[in-house]
Amino acid sequence: MSVEILDGATIVNFLEDEEAFNVSVRDRFAHLDSNHDGQLSYEEMLKELQGLRVMETHFGVDVETDRDELVRVYDSLFVQFDHDLNGTVDLEEFKAETRQMMLAMANGMGFLPVQMVLEEDSFLKKAVEWESAKLVASYSSCMAT
């Protein structure tokens, strides 16, 4: 984990770079697809869903949650990804829902910088790294001229 500063623009700009976003989604999908069948089962998606940390925390400390409630939340999230309701999530469904979730985060965050603790392999971390690389490239370009 690392502490990063980002805002809604960081996320939106990352999503607008189709190549960068698609590479990140394909890499994450391949990592989750443990049996390499091109589909994510509920079991394969569960770790990713748990990583979203949708349950309440109190000042960063997890609050003990009813196990049945957790199951309902993860079931509901899986259905959100499984657009055709066939019991698995394909790459296009994964990409579309990931994009929607990131846009919702960007809209909720707004354009004022926020300090966040990010998981190393999260999409938000990828967005911050993408933005940093763009800034370095831009700075290097300016210095070369």
Side-chain angles (χ1 to χ4, degrees), residues 1-6 114-129 132:
M1 288 199 273
S2 64
V3 177
E4 305 290 345
I5 297 175
L6 69 154
V114 189
Q115 189 173 13
M116 296 179 74
V117 176
L118 302 178
E119 299 286 335
E120 288 304 315
D121 61 348
S122 71
F123 285 110
L124 291 179
K125 178 71 174 178
K126 301 286 185 200
V128 169
E129 290 169 347
S132 295

Side-chain angles (χ1 to χ4, degrees), residues 38-54:
Q39 303 286 320
L40 299 178
S41 66
Y42 179 83
E43 291 75 24
E44 289 171 317
M45 283 274 308
L46 188 57
K47 183 177 179 189
E48 186 77 358
L49 297 174
Q50 291 168 336
L52 295 174
R53 301 182 58 81
V54 295

Side-chain angles (χ1 to χ4, degrees), residues 24-124:
S24 292
V25 168
R26 278 194 305 270
D27 288 350
R28 189 70 187 153
F29 187 90
H31 173 76
L32 295 172
D33 186 13
S34 60
N35 65 1
H36 310 291
D37 67 352
Q39 303 286 320
L40 299 178
S41 66
Y42 179 83
E43 291 75 24
E44 289 171 317
M45 283 274 308
L46 188 57
K47 183 177 179 189
E48 186 77 358
L49 297 174
Q50 291 168 336
L52 295 174
R53 301 182 58 81
V54 295
M55 301 313 291
E56 267 188 57
T57 61
H58 183 67
F59 298 107
V61 177
D62 292 337
V63 175
E64 192 168 327
T65 308
D66 177 40
R67 177 127 174 86
D68 291 337
E69 181 182 358
L70 276 175
V71 169
R72 285 190 300 276
V73 168
Y74 294 139
D75 287 350
S76 174
L77 283 169
F78 183 78
V79 168
Q80 244 183 282
F81 278 87
D82 185 13
H83 296 172
D84 61 10
L85 301 176
N86 69 349
T88 60
V89 175
D90 64 32
L91 178 60
E92 290 307 311
E93 290 170 319
F94 186 73
K95 181 168 65 173
E97 195 57 37
T98 299
R99 178 181 299 282
Q100 289 304 313
M101 290 176 82
M102 290 185 74
L103 281 172
M105 282 187 266
N107 289 334
M109 191 178 292
F111 293 96
L112 291 174
V114 189
Q115 189 173 13
M116 296 179 74
V117 176
L118 302 178
E119 299 286 335
E120 288 304 315
D121 61 348
S122 71
F123 285 110
L124 291 179

